[in-house]
Amino acid sequence: MTDHLWQDYAAPYALGALPAEDRTAFEAHLAGCDTCRADVRSFTEVAGLLAHGAPAVEPPATLRARVVAEARRVRPIVPQRRGAPVAWLAAAAGLLLALGAGVEAWRLSGRVRGLESSLAHIDSARVAAESTLVALTGPEVHVVSLAGTDRPPTARVFWNHAKRQFIVLAFDLPAAPPGRTYQLWAIANGKAPMSMGTFNTNAQGRVYTVLPVDAQITSLGFVDNCGLTEEPAGGSPQPTETPRLLGAWRHTD
């Protein structure tokens, strides 16, 4: 407690909560009172420190609505000559603590949502990997490793007869130049090569792509070999060069 009764107004004045009529009287008193001016500066600094004590995070609109609704349920505190600073500081501290707790809960909720999203991506990637593994293996799948003369294989093609898909994996095949593309050919003994589709690699010489199997290729029965040529964009009806890469089909198992 203090014998200087005007000091009881310093805290609510610093928080901007002093009624208009008392504010006018108190400001007139401040003009000639060093003690009260010092108290106002002190309370203003404390309020500023409390305001900046929480992280700079934008709270959701629902949090503000909850705080305002709760504040309206609290009976307004009218500053009195005795005990007013304690009551106002307690009310202000309570609101700031509620706001800080709400912001922290919101931040934790955001982290939980982020983790849930990451888990969903991981699960999706796992399902995709399992699906790819099934598509590349089994007795209904043939595979061919494509290599050039005196070169190790730079691409593999999987033929999944059940899914009627060619799955192309290239791992060391420079991208075809602009206006050009790579074209795969099914080569059965005694028959003209038949196009399996076109593709191109990225700047790192890699690609993973799926090409549909044409019914005419299926009608060939067993296909002995697979070749790769570089053709004009859009592909050619027949190879325009000797295959750059060549390989023989075999079962994956």
Side-chain angles (χ1 to χ4, degrees), residues 157 166 183-186 194-198 211-212 217 225-227 249:
V157 181
F166 293 122
Q183 189 164 0
L184 290 168
W185 302 94
M194 190 168 293
S195 175
M196 297 165 52
T198 61
L211 304 174
I217 294 180
N225 300 297
C226 177
W249 290 100

Side-chain angles (χ1 to χ4, degrees), residues 66-87:
R66 291 201 303 271
V67 172
V68 171
E70 185 64 24
R72 287 174 177 168
R73 294 178 52 217
V74 179
R75 181 179 177 183
I77 302 174
V78 180
Q80 304 294 330
R81 290 286 189 262
R82 301 290 182 183
V86 175

Side-chain angles (χ1 to χ4, degrees), residues 3-70:
D3 292 331
H4 186 43
L5 300 182
W6 283 106
Q7 284 184 277
D8 293 345
Y9 283 73
Y13 179 83
L15 292 172
L18 200 61
E21 55 184 19
D22 290 335
R23 182 181 184 87
T24 300
F26 184 60
E27 287 177 343
H29 169 75
L30 282 177
C33 181
D34 293 337
T35 301
C36 287
R37 285 200 301 271
D39 285 346
V40 169
R41 284 195 300 271
S42 177
F43 284 126
T44 301
E45 291 173 0
V46 170
L49 290 174
L50 287 174
H52 291 285
V57 178
E58 182 69 22
T62 54
L63 175 60
R64 180 184 182 278
R66 291 201 303 271
V67 172
V68 171
E70 185 64 24

